[in-house]
Coordinates of all heavy atoms in Angstrom, one line a residue:
H268 N 6.4 -5.2 5.0 CA 5.4 -5.5 6.0 C 4.8 -6.9 5.6 O 3.8 -7.0 5.0 CB 4.3 -4.5 6.0 CG 4.7 -3.3 6.9 ND1 5.0 -3.5 8.2 CD2 4.7 -2.0 6.7 CE1 5.4 -2.3 8.7 NE2 5.2 -1.4 7.8
C269 N 5.5 -7.9 6.1 CA 5.1 -9.3 5.7 C 4.0 -9.8 6.6 O 3.5 -10.9 6.4 CB 6.3 -10.1 5.8 SG 7.0 -10.3 7.5
Y270 N 3.6 -9.0 7.7 CA 2.6 -9.6 8.6 C 1.2 -9.5 7.9 O 0.9 -8.6 7.2 CB 2.5 -8.6 9.9 CG 3.5 -8.9 10.8 CD1 4.9 -8.8 10.5 CD2 3.2 -9.3 12.1 CE1 5.9 -9.1 11.4 CE2 4.2 -9.5 13.1 CZ 5.6 -9.4 12.7 OH 6.5 -9.6 13.6
Q271 N 0.3 -10.5 8.3 CA -1.0 -10.5 7.9 C -1.7 -9.3 8.5 O -1.3 -8.9 9.7 CB -1.8 -11.7 8.5 CG -1.7 -13.0 7.7 CD -2.3 -14.1 8.6 OE1 -2.8 -13.9 9.7 NE2 -2.0 -15.3 8.2
R272 N -2.8 -8.8 7.9 CA -3.4 -7.6 8.5 C -3.8 -7.7 9.9 O -3.5 -6.9 10.8 CB -4.6 -7.3 7.5 CG -5.2 -5.9 7.7 CD -6.5 -5.9 6.9 NE -7.2 -4.7 7.2 CZ -6.9 -3.5 6.7 NH1 -6.0 -3.4 5.8 NH2 -7.7 -2.4 7.1
T273 N -4.5 -8.8 10.3 CA -5.0 -9.0 11.6 C -3.8 -9.1 12.7 O -3.9 -8.5 13.8 CB -5.8 -10.3 11.8 OG1 -5.2 -11.4 11.2 CG2 -7.2 -10.1 11.1
R274 N -2.7 -9.8 12.2 CA -1.6 -10.0 13.1 C -0.9 -8.6 13.3 O -0.5 -8.3 14.4 CB -0.6 -11.0 12.5 CG -1.0 -12.4 12.5 CD -1.3 -12.9 13.9 NE -1.5 -14.3 14.1 CZ -2.0 -14.9 15.1 NH1 -2.4 -14.3 16.1 NH2 -2.1 -16.2 15.1
R275 N -0.9 -7.9 12.3 CA -0.3 -6.6 12.3 C -1.0 -5.7 13.3 O -0.4 -4.9 14.1 CB -0.2 -5.9 11.0 CG 0.9 -4.9 10.9 CD 1.0 -4.5 9.4 NE 1.4 -3.1 9.4 CZ 1.4 -2.3 8.4 NH1 1.0 -2.9 7.2 NH2 1.8 -1.1 8.4
E276 N -2.3 -5.7 13.3 CA -3.1 -5.0 14.2 C -2.9 -5.5 15.6 O -2.8 -4.6 16.5 CB -4.6 -5.2 13.9 CG -5.1 -4.5 12.6 CD -4.7 -3.0 12.6 OE1 -4.9 -2.3 13.6 OE2 -4.2 -2.5 11.4
Q277 N -2.8 -6.7 15.9 CA -2.5 -7.3 17.2 C -1.2 -6.8 17.7 O -1.1 -6.4 18.9 CB -2.6 -8.8 17.2 CG -3.9 -9.4 16.9 CD -3.9 -10.9 16.7 OE1 -3.0 -11.4 16.2 NE2 -5.1 -11.5 17.0
V278 N -0.2 -6.8 16.8 CA 1.1 -6.3 17.3 C 1.1 -4.8 17.7 O 1.7 -4.4 18.6 CB 2.2 -6.6 16.2 CG1 3.5 -5.9 16.5 CG2 2.5 -8.1 16.1
K279 N 0.4 -4.1 16.9 CA 0.2 -2.7 17.2 C -0.3 -2.5 18.6 O 0.0 -1.6 19.3 CB -0.7 -2.0 16.2 CG 0.1 -1.5 14.9 CD -0.9 -0.6 14.1 CE -0.4 -0.4 12.7 NZ -1.4 0.0 11.8
V280 N -1.4 -3.2 18.9 CA -2.0 -3.1 20.2 C -1.1 -3.5 21.3 O -0.9 -2.7 22.3 CB -3.3 -4.0 20.3 CG1 -3.8 -4.0 21.8 CG2 -4.3 -3.6 19.4
V281 N -0.3 -4.5 21.1 CA 0.7 -5.0 22.1 C 1.7 -3.9 22.3 O 2.1 -3.6 23.4 CB 1.3 -6.3 21.7 CG1 2.6 -6.6 22.5 CG2 0.4 -7.5 21.8
M282 N 2.2 -3.3 21.2 CA 3.2 -2.3 21.3 C 2.7 -1.1 22.1 O 3.4 -0.4 22.8 CB 3.7 -1.9 19.9 CG 4.5 -3.0 19.3 SD 5.5 -2.4 18.0 CE 6.4 -3.9 17.6
R283 N 1.5 -0.7 21.7 CA 0.9 0.5 22.3 C 0.8 0.3 23.9 O 1.2 1.2 24.6 CB -0.5 0.8 21.8 CG -0.8 2.3 21.7 CD -2.0 2.6 20.8 NE -3.0 1.6 20.7 CZ -3.5 1.1 19.6 NH1 -3.0 1.6 18.4 NH2 -4.4 0.2 19.6
Q284 N 0.4 -0.9 24.3 CA 0.2 -1.1 25.7 C 1.5 -1.4 26.4 O 1.7 -0.9 27.5 CB -0.8 -2.4 25.9 CG -2.1 -2.3 25.1 CD -3.1 -1.4 25.7 OE1 -2.9 -1.0 26.9 NE2 -4.1 -1.0 25.0
A285 N 2.4 -2.3 25.8 CA 3.5 -2.7 26.5 C 4.7 -1.8 26.2 O 5.8 -1.9 27.0 CB 3.8 -4.1 26.1
G286 N 4.7 -1.1 25.1 CA 5.8 -0.3 24.8 C 6.4 0.6 26.0 O 7.5 0.5 26.3
P287 N 5.5 1.4 26.6 CA 6.0 2.3 27.6 C 6.6 1.4 28.8 O 7.6 1.8 29.5 CB 4.8 3.0 28.1 CG 3.9 3.0 26.9 CD 4.1 1.7 26.2
R288 N 6.0 0.3 29.1 CA 6.5 -0.5 30.2 C 7.9 -1.1 29.9 O 8.7 -1.3 30.7 CB 5.6 -1.7 30.4 CG 4.2 -1.3 31.0 CD 3.7 -2.1 32.0 NE 4.5 -2.1 33.3 CZ 4.4 -1.1 34.2 NH1 3.5 -0.2 34.1 NH2 5.2 -1.1 35.3
M289 N 8.1 -1.4 28.5 CA 9.4 -1.9 28.2 C 10.6 -1.0 28.6 O 11.6 -1.5 29.0 CB 9.4 -2.0 26.6 CG 8.8 -3.3 26.0 SD 9.8 -4.8 26.5 CE 11.1 -4.7 25.4
L290 N 10.3 0.4 28.5 CA 11.4 1.3 28.8 C 11.9 1.1 30.3 O 13.0 1.2 30.6 CB 10.9 2.7 28.7 CG 11.1 3.4 27.4 CD1 10.4 4.8 27.5 CD2 12.6 3.6 27.1
W291 N 10.9 0.8 31.2 CA 11.3 0.6 32.6 C 11.8 -0.8 32.8 O 12.8 -1.0 33.6 CB 10.0 0.8 33.5 CG 9.6 2.2 33.4 CD1 8.5 2.7 32.8 CD2 10.2 3.4 33.9 NE1 8.4 4.0 32.8 CE2 9.4 4.5 33.6 CE3 11.4 3.6 34.6 CZ2 9.7 5.8 33.9 CZ3 11.7 4.9 35.0 CH2 10.9 6.0 34.6
E292 N 11.2 -1.8 32.2 CA 11.5 -3.1 32.5 C 12.8 -3.7 31.7 O 13.5 -4.5 32.1 CB 10.3 -4.1 32.4 CG 9.2 -3.7 33.3 CD 8.0 -4.6 33.4 OE1 8.3 -5.8 33.2 OE2 7.0 -4.1 33.6
H293 N 12.9 -3.2 30.5 CA 14.0 -3.7 29.6 C 14.7 -2.5 28.9 O 14.5 -2.4 27.7 CB 13.5 -4.6 28.6 CG 12.9 -5.9 29.2 ND1 13.6 -6.9 29.8 CD2 11.6 -6.3 29.3 CE1 12.8 -7.8 30.2 NE2 11.6 -7.5 29.9
P294 N 15.2 -1.6 29.7 CA 15.7 -0.3 29.1 C 16.8 -0.6 28.0 O 16.8 0.1 26.9 CB 16.3 0.5 30.3 CG 16.4 -0.4 31.4 CD 15.4 -1.5 31.2
V295 N 17.7 -1.5 28.2 CA 18.8 -1.7 27.3 C 18.2 -2.2 25.9 O 18.6 -1.7 24.8 CB 19.9 -2.7 27.8 CG1 20.9 -2.9 26.7 CG2 20.5 -2.1 29.1
M296 N 17.3 -3.1 26.1 CA 16.7 -3.8 24.9 C 16.0 -2.6 24.1 O 16.0 -2.6 22.9 CB 15.7 -4.8 25.3 CG 15.5 -5.9 24.4 SD 14.2 -7.0 24.8 CE 14.8 -7.9 26.2
S297 N 15.2 -1.7 24.9 CA 14.4 -0.7 24.2 C 15.4 0.2 23.5 O 15.1 0.7 22.4 CB 13.6 0.1 25.3 OG 12.8 -0.7 25.9
L298 N 16.5 0.5 24.2 CA 17.5 1.5 23.5 C 18.0 1.0 22.2 O 18.0 1.6 21.2 CB 18.6 1.8 24.6 CG 19.7 2.7 24.1 CD1 19.1 4.1 23.8 CD2 20.8 2.8 25.0
R299 N 18.3 -0.3 22.2 CA 18.8 -1.0 21.1 C 17.9 -0.9 19.9 O 18.2 -0.6 18.8 CB 19.2 -2.4 21.4 CG 20.6 -2.6 21.8 CD 21.1 -4.0 21.6 NE 21.9 -4.3 22.7 CZ 21.6 -5.3 23.5 NH1 20.6 -6.1 23.3 NH2 22.4 -5.6 24.5
H300 N 16.6 -1.2 20.2 CA 15.6 -1.2 19.2 C 15.4 0.2 18.7 O 15.2 0.4 17.5 CB 14.3 -1.8 19.8 CG 13.3 -2.1 18.6 ND1 13.5 -3.2 17.8 CD2 12.2 -1.5 18.2 CE1 12.4 -3.2 17.0 NE2 11.7 -2.1 17.2
W301 N 15.5 1.1 19.5 CA 15.2 2.5 19.2 C 16.4 2.9 18.2 O 16.2 3.6 17.2 CB 15.3 3.4 20.5 CG 15.0 4.8 20.3 CD1 13.9 5.4 19.8 CD2 16.0 5.9 20.4 NE1 14.0 6.8 19.7 CE2 15.3 7.1 20.1 CE3 17.3 6.0 20.9 CZ2 15.9 8.4 20.2 CZ3 17.9 7.2 21.0 CH2 17.2 8.4 20.7

Side-chain angles (χ1 to χ4, degrees):
H268 278 306
C269 65
Y270 283 56
Q271 274 169 12
R272 198 186 166 83
T273 48
R274 289 301 192 195
R275 206 171 144 192
E276 290 306 315
Q277 288 168 335
V278 167
K279 273 192 196 160
V280 172
V281 169
M282 290 200 173
R283 212 167 28 231
Q284 308 283 346
R288 298 221 63 84
M289 276 293 286
L290 267 177
W291 297 107
E292 298 188 30
H293 302 284
V295 176
M296 213 190 285
S297 302
L298 179 65
R299 268 201 220 120
H300 193 72
W301 182 68

